[in-house]
Amino acid sequence: MKIIVSHDVDHIKYSEHYLSDLIVIKHFARSYIEKFLGKISWKEFILRHFDVLSNKMNNVKEIIDFNKSVGIKSSFFFGMSKGLGLNYNNSDAASLIKYVNDMGFEVGVHGIEYKDFFKMKEEYEIFKEISGLKDFGIRMHYLRHNNSTLGKLSKIGYLYDSTLSDLSSASVRQGIFEFPVHIMDCLIINGPRGYQKLNLEQSKVKTLEILEKAKKLNINYFSFLFHDVYFSNIFLTWKQWYVW
């Protein structure tokens, strides 16, 4: 079994969310809930408040530095349109895409539209122009899809998709190579209400249980998804879990 590591870039700056959604407000609310539940320390709680002042909400460079230090080449997926809390501009994404490419890491599309073929095609063409690449893959934001999504992605020309979430092997589905997501950070550490439920040791146990199941099922490629925003000391459990 080989393991694929990838990252969804959902945010670049805090200012993307000041007028467009409630992400920053939820950031503070989550901090208070997790402190009340004893999931984070006072230091982490305070750092989260000061972090907003930096207006930096991505850790792409930091996670690349770490991945390089341990010899891991991961993939990064960037949004080309806005929706569901993803609100950065393509110009901001372009500079990070270039940086990731220059560092020798793979980039792909973090898709928003999963129903309308022409809107899906537009995201593909925008990324193709921005990145200068001919071959690249996609993962849908929030893993959204329907019965026709994969077939449309195949017709558009994507190299692969990594949207489905089930404990199965990578295979061709509806004409496109599909790498299912097997472990995603928030589904390990968070509870159903969107705030931290498990501590580091509990997260390790849950992760190893899934890996053991995958081994028994002879999964060929195991896909591990970690959002770059969590590679930070303001989300210490998440960062420590990823490093582990």
Side-chain angles (χ1 to χ4, degrees), residues 114 140-150 163-165:
Y114 67 99
M140 289 296 170
H141 191 39
Y142 280 100
L143 308 183
R144 297 193 305 164
H145 66 279
N146 60 23
N147 292 334
S148 66
T149 300
L150 295 187
T163 296
L164 304 187
S165 181

Side-chain angles (χ1 to χ4, degrees), residues 1 25-27 38 40 59 61 77 86 93 113 141-142 149 162 171 181 188-189 202 207 214-215 219 226 229 233 244:
M1 181 172 70
I25 293 174
K26 289 179 179 179
H27 170 79
I40 62 174
N59 297 294
K61 295 181 180 180
F77 295 91
L86 195 159
E113 181 59 47
H141 191 39
Y142 280 100
T149 300
S162 184
S171 62
V181 175
I188 293 288
I189 300 174
Q202 291 169 330
T207 301
K215 286 175 65 177
I219 299 296
F226 184 83
V229 69
N233 289 335
W244 166 77

